[in-house]
Amino acid sequence: MNSKSSGIRKALPFLTLIFLLFSVLLIWSFFTLNHSNYFHQLNVRHFKYVSDLHSLISTPKPALFSQPPQATDTIRNAIINIRQQPLECLEKIGPIDRILMTFINTDNIISICQKDIVSANQALEAITHFEAGVIDEASLQEQLIETLRIFSHNSIEFEAPVEKTVNFIADIIISLIVSSCIILLLFTMYLSRAVSLVLTNREAAMKALAESEERNKSLAYKDTLTGLPNRNLLEHTINAAIAKSSRNETQFAVMFIDLDQFKDINDTLGHSVGDKLLIEMARRIAHTLRECDSVVRFGGDEFVAVTDCFDAVETIDVIASRVIDAINKPVKLVQIETFITASIGVACYPDNGTDATALLKHADTAMYQAKSAGKNQFQPYDKNSANRQNRKLSIVQQLHHAIANDEFSLVYQPVVRLADGKTVGSEALIRWTNMNNESIRPDEFIPIAENSGQIIEIGDWVLQQACAQCKRWHQQGATDHTMAINVSSHQLKDVGFAKRVATILQQYALPAKCIHIEITENIAITEDKVCVANLHELSELGALLLLDDFGTGYSCLSYLKDLPFDILKIDKSFMPANNTIAATIIAMGHELHMEIIAEGIETSMCHQYLNNLHCQYGQGYLFQKPVSASEFDVFKQFSVGL
Ligand code: C2E
Ligand code: MG
Ligand code: MG
């Protein structure tokens, strides 16, 4: 199609030139035809003037002789008129005409004309001689009669070749006109075909363009893997639902569906299996929803469903439960039966948002709430927990710059020997004042940093600072002063943790026994090989391991048997200690040959009670609140008042 069009385009200037040439030829032909007819007119005039001359000289009494000189003048004028015709004829015949006449053998026209002019000149000369009295009347008459005869003869002679020439020219011209017309007709037909071809091509191109636009449009709104609409259509879908709901004064829900642990399947079974799983899940979700609901693939393992209007909120619970059940059903991938779950967040219009952005954001937040609540469930959007979620996100953001901005500091709380009130060590506790001068408690930001993984960096910073401070106090003479450092179980999951502790101890030339690694009771550490290995490595290093907040966690006593803990720290929630739990823990610790520290001692009664139970060490506001290193008196002897 294209090559045809380009051929036509190339031929067009040439065709236009031919068209112009033939048009010029046609016009020229009309002129030529007209021009050839002029010879006939000349001959007609020639005849007329010859017959005028004839009537002048052949009357019984010629005028010539009755009234000279007027008569001779009349005859002279008649002869001049006759001579004028061959003169004009010769003038008209150009070089091309001459060649043409020679070609068709009619060039005697020229000799006839020349003869006619010679005869006319002779007659005029005779008149002049007569008037001068050189010749007499009879001679003149004889001469004129002879000239008249020649004129008549020439006129007759002239007719045949002129006729032949004119006919020839006419034939040529007519065939030229006919062939020009045929060529023009063919040209017009060709041109109209070319134009219609161009138009057809254009129409086909426009159609192809429209089709490809349509295809692109559908691709732009379709997820190629699952065949579901993609997120480009989501805003439009939600806006349409908003319009409908606000018209009917009903509600609808946006459900954010996220597959739990999809990444694990992708990583272990490969991406193609992951893709198959997504296709299957997309199919299940789409089939579980009602005809009037819509579902789009939001990206990765996330889907968003927009339900149609409903009157009762319970409806959405039913739909969400159905989706969860559908996803939970086993799925067979590469001969293996796998299970997957999903967490769903639900935001309802208009209660949880009145525009697409808010509804989507709140459904997403609710989905995270479902994940934090243990996954494989749906959660409706809850403003308070969303605020908490936002606060968490903001803390994660702020923590990124906290070390670099020098926003952390350590405070120290003395660990006191209960029997005599001597400061034997200290516990390093982190403090954080963010850029807005807001103090954020460790209870709040440590669990967040644990989840976000930022605890590793923060923990390393604490280790460095606490060891450096411990070294300074040792250098001031408190050579046995111990430093208790809180370490999260997430830090223990880091393979190189014990090695880093060893490096830092080496860096400050600190005896390992001065470092108490405080680990909060947590079932996870017994199940993680890296944690267990780190604990053994730390113990082998010589550092003491301390089980913090004892009694509050999962309290699996096999901990104490299998793991190399040296010290138990009774949680402050068991204070004041006049309860059997504190007494039991102390007794058990003694049985296991472990030292006991009690935290949260606020009263001297509590102190006394613990001392009577032979609890060796204690911490608490009774002695001192955590203070900065500069306020801390490492040699402080507290009055025990026992
Ligand atoms: P924890 O390790 O059990 O620390 C004891 C907490 O009890 C400290 O709170 C301390 O200020 C507080 N406390 C001490 N004496 C008393 C008392 O007599 N009465 C009461 N009511 N409280 C007392 P803080 O500093 O807010 O720390 C809270 C928790 O944050 C710590 O509990 C620890 O689990 C964690 N934490 C603090 N610093 C760090 C750190 O550097 N790394 C890690 N991983 N966790 C830390
Ligand atoms: Mg502690
Ligand atoms: Mg504690």
Side-chain angles (χ1 to χ4, degrees), residues 20 99 122 135 139 156 205 230 245 337 387 417 461 509 524 526 571 596 607 629:
L20 282 175
I99 295 166
Q122 282 171 352
I135 58 167
S139 303
I156 293 158
N230 63 21
S245 288
E337 209 161 68
N387 286 343
R417 192 155 59 205
W461 180 88
T526 54
D571 189 69
I596 314 288
H607 172 209

Side-chain angles (χ1 to χ4, degrees), residues 427 486 518 520 548-550 569-572 599:
E427 180 180 5
N486 290 287
E518 289 200 12
T520 304
D548 203 356
D549 303 340
F550 189 76
K569 194 182 251 193
I570 308 173
D571 189 69
K572 56 181 177 290
E599 67 177 13

Side-chain angles (χ1 to χ4, degrees), residues 382-569:
D382 167 38
K383 202 169 178 195
N384 292 335
S385 52
N387 286 343
R388 281 197 296 277
Q389 182 73 25
N390 288 340
R391 165 112 177 135
K392 272 188 195 167
L393 288 176
S394 144
I395 285 178
V396 170
Q397 288 297 321
Q398 295 178 45
L399 280 174
H400 277 301
H401 321 284
I403 291 183
N405 289 352
D406 209 13
E407 294 171 15
F408 290 127
S409 62
L410 288 184
V411 288
Y412 302 89
Q413 186 175 40
V415 177
V416 177
R417 192 155 59 205
L418 296 182
D420 59 5
K422 184 180 175 355
T423 301
V424 293
S426 53
E427 180 180 5
L429 293 159
I430 195 166
R431 294 290 175 264
W432 177 29
T433 307
N434 71 8
M435 280 195 299
N436 310 326
N437 224 17
E438 177 195 2
S439 292
I440 303 173
R441 288 161 28 86
D443 282 337
E444 185 179 8
F445 75 82
I446 294 286
I448 294 172
E450 285 178 337
N451 276 331
S452 67
Q454 291 160 310
I455 190 67
I456 304 289
E457 203 188 344
I458 297 170
D460 282 353
W461 180 88
V462 171
L463 261 173
Q464 277 281 352
Q465 300 294 313
C467 288
Q469 187 54 53
C470 187
K471 182 68 187 175
R472 277 195 284 276
W473 282 330
H474 280 202
Q475 283 167 342
Q476 287 167 19
T479 46
D480 290 331
H481 188 87
T482 59
M483 179 62 79
I485 302 166
N486 290 287
V487 169
S488 150
S489 60
H490 289 77
Q491 286 171 270
L492 288 177
K493 285 179 190 161
D494 181 15
V495 185
F497 180 72
K499 303 249 165 2
R500 280 209 300 284
V501 174
T503 312
I504 293 171
L505 289 175
Q506 227 174 6
Q507 184 188 343
Y508 294 107
L510 269 177
K513 65 176 169 58
C514 298
I515 298 302
H516 291 183
I517 302 289
E518 289 200 12
I519 293 141
T520 304
E521 201 181 17
N522 178 351
I523 189 80
I525 56 171
T526 54
E527 290 174 349
D528 192 301
K529 283 194 182 117
V530 182
C531 278
V532 173
N534 264 323
L535 287 173
H536 283 288
E537 212 175 315
L538 287 167
S539 181
E540 280 158 28
L541 203 66
L544 298 193
L545 299 186
L546 189 150
L547 201 50
D548 203 356
D549 303 340
F550 189 76
T552 56
Y554 297 91
S555 288
C556 173
L557 294 177
S558 66
Y559 255 52
L560 306 175
K561 191 164 66 67
D562 300 336
L563 296 174
F565 282 105
D566 306 286
I567 305 166
L568 277 187
K569 194 182 251 193

Side-chain angles (χ1 to χ4, degrees), residues 156-168:
I156 293 158
E157 280 281 288
F158 190 77
E159 194 58 29
V162 161
E163 188 64 21
K164 192 177 173 186
T165 307
V166 169
N167 282 347
F168 182 75

Side-chain angles (χ1 to χ4, degrees), residues 42-107:
L42 289 177
N43 208 22
V44 169
R45 269 189 260 155
H46 191 273
F47 259 124
K48 181 185 172 289
Y49 292 127
V50 169
S51 73
D52 285 353
L53 184 64
H54 182 264
S55 57
L56 281 174
I57 62 172
S58 61
T59 44
K61 177 84 180 141
L64 164 72
F65 311 109
S66 56
Q67 300 168 315
Q70 291 92 329
T72 50
D73 279 350
T74 316
I75 292 169
R76 181 183 283 113
N77 286 342
I79 291 169
I80 287 171
N81 281 342
I82 291 167
R83 189 181 62 179
Q84 187 58 32
Q85 310 316 311
L87 278 174
E88 272 188 40
C89 182
L90 287 177
E91 223 172 77
K92 290 277 170 210
I93 297 171
I96 296 172
D97 299 323
R98 271 171 206 276
I99 295 166
L100 185 79
M101 284 169 172
T102 316
F103 179 70
I104 57 170
N105 211 16
T106 56
D107 50 353

Side-chain angles (χ1 to χ4, degrees), residues 141-354:
Q141 194 165 15
E142 199 179 309
Q143 176 66 50
L144 289 176
I145 288 167
E146 177 55 17
T147 306
L148 188 64
R149 192 191 58 77
I150 292 169
F151 282 154
S152 301
H153 180 73
N154 281 350
S155 252
I156 293 158
E157 280 281 288
F158 190 77
E159 194 58 29
V162 161
E163 188 64 21
K164 192 177 173 186
T165 307
V166 169
N167 282 347
F168 182 75
I169 289 173
D171 285 349
I172 286 185
I173 298 295
I174 284 167
S175 39
L176 257 177
I177 290 171
V178 169
S179 53
S180 295
C181 286
I182 290 170
I183 287 173
L184 285 181
L185 187 75
L186 289 174
F187 171 76
T188 314
M189 276 164 63
Y190 180 77
L191 203 67
S192 70
R193 235 191 100 224
V195 169
S196 88
L197 188 72
V198 168
L199 288 177
T200 318
N201 283 354
R202 208 178 116 98
E203 216 169 86
M206 301 275 278
K207 204 173 153 202
L209 192 74
E211 275 170 9
S212 98
E213 257 175 27
E214 195 56 41
R215 224 180 6 259
N216 284 348
K217 217 187 258 174
S218 85
L219 275 181
Y221 292 114
K222 196 170 180 172
D223 172 50
T224 41
L225 180 71
T226 59
L228 291 178
N230 63 21
R231 64 191 295 173
N232 295 340
L233 211 63
L234 188 56
E235 197 178 326
H236 171 80
T237 311
I238 298 178
N239 285 338
I242 290 175
K244 190 175 171 187
S245 288
S246 66
R247 252 196 330 271
N248 303 343
E249 291 187 4
T250 49
Q251 311 178 59
F252 74 90
V254 173
M255 297 202 304
F256 209 108
I257 307 164
D258 187 286
L259 300 181
D260 300 324
Q261 267 118 24
F262 173 73
K263 195 178 168 297
D264 294 348
I265 291 186
N266 229 5
D267 291 349
T268 50
L269 300 178
H271 286 261
S272 64
V273 176
D275 283 354
K276 277 189 195 146
L277 181 73
L278 286 175
I279 294 168
E280 175 59 14
M281 291 308 135
R283 194 190 63 78
R284 288 186 191 180
I285 297 169
H287 276 78
T288 311
L289 296 171
R290 304 164 304 175
E291 277 286 297
C292 49
D293 302 332
S294 341
V295 60
V296 307
R297 181 171 175 215
F298 194 70
D301 59 346
E302 297 166 331
F303 300 88
V304 174
V306 180
T307 70
D308 196 41
C309 305
F310 55 83
D311 295 324
V313 183
E314 293 71 43
T315 317
I316 195 64
D317 294 4
V318 175
I319 297 173
S321 307
R322 273 215 312 263
V323 172
I324 286 190
D325 291 346
I327 290 174
N328 281 354
K329 289 205 178 85
V331 52
K332 200 162 191 182
L333 301 166
V334 283
Q335 311 303 326
I336 317 164
E337 209 161 68
T338 319
F339 295 87
I340 193 153
T341 58
S343 301
I344 302 180
V346 181
C348 289
Y349 171 89
D351 291 353
N352 306 142
T354 48

